[in-house]
Amino acid sequence: MSDQSVFDRMMIHLRQTCRYYTGYPKILGPSRVIHFTSEREFVQLLHQGFPVVAAFTIRGNYTKHLDTVLEEAAAEFYPNVKFMRVECPKYPGFCISRQRKEYPFIEIFHSPELQVANQGRVADPNISKYSVKVLPFNYDVSAYGFREFFKRHGIQTSSPK
């Protein structure tokens, strides 16, 4: 009985192609979530021009759930959206600068349009002006919630065709 029934083949195909949860573990591949190490690295990531979803976390049960959601969303939106996890006990200065009291929380950093030409006079030619829009994420914490948030705010999540 090495032949698979039509139903088995249909279910295998459905599990491989379905974008929504089917009850089986998803095969996500290597982790696409970037771990925060420094503000310099964060700024370099922003200069790449992709939206960055930053999850500011502390240890707790909800953080474990958030990690799985971030992994799933990062795999879905790779390479057009970058996902980053900031562990606030390790980097308190960066988290305090966000001026939020409740953890975990998510913020989305994106530049609506890159400024190619510097406006105004800059003393050092190595310094470039760069504007970033910061949006607090208050939708459902799931890949679907991220998709709806990006759609609502006009953030491009796929490659231009």
Side-chain angles (χ1 to χ4, degrees):
M1 293 210 123
S2 63
D3 294 327
Q4 293 180 333
S5 68
V6 175
F7 179 74
D8 289 338
R9 287 193 310 254
M10 183 177 70
M11 289 305 295
I12 290 170
H13 176 71
L14 179 67
R15 286 185 206 124
Q16 291 173 344
T17 59
C18 187
R19 296 179 94 180
Y20 301 101
Y21 183 66
T22 57
Y24 288 86
K26 294 185 176 187
I27 302 169
L28 301 175
S31 175
R32 306 277 188 206
V33 176
I34 302 164
H35 289 276
F36 179 86
T37 55
S38 70
E39 288 187 45
R40 177 176 285 155
E41 179 187 303
F42 181 68
V43 170
Q44 289 173 349
L45 190 63
L46 288 174
H47 277 290
Q48 291 178 4
F50 297 110
V52 177
V53 176
F56 297 86
T57 63
I58 56 174
R59 283 202 184 138
N61 291 334
Y62 186 67
T63 303
K64 292 177 185 176
H65 168 70
L66 184 62
D67 286 343
T68 58
V69 168
L70 286 176
E71 290 290 341
E72 182 181 326
E76 181 174 334
F77 295 112
Y78 181 82
N80 301 308
V81 178
K82 305 295 183 186
F83 285 78
M84 176 177 275
R85 180 170 183 245
V86 181
E87 295 180 27
C88 289
K90 287 184 181 177
Y91 307 99
F94 188 66
C95 293
I96 291 170
S97 69
R98 304 308 320 149
Q99 298 178 350
R100 296 278 300 263
K101 300 275 189 261
E102 62 279 348
Y103 291 94
F105 66 93
I106 300 173
E107 289 184 338
I108 298 173
F109 299 80
H110 81 103
S111 54
E113 49 195 50
L114 293 174
Q115 295 179 355
V116 178
N118 289 338
Q119 299 172 359
R121 297 182 72 189
V122 178
D124 188 356
N126 294 328
I127 297 174
S128 61
K129 289 185 178 180
Y130 189 74
S131 67
V132 176
K133 193 174 185 179
V134 181
L135 301 170
F137 182 78
N138 51 9
Y139 279 58
D140 179 40
V141 181
S142 66
Y144 174 77
F146 284 114
R147 192 176 318 116
E148 290 301 312
F149 184 86
F150 295 146
K151 211 182 303 180
R152 167 97 183 203
H153 292 281
I155 298 172
Q156 187 171 354
T157 59
S158 60
S159 300
K161 295 176 180 164

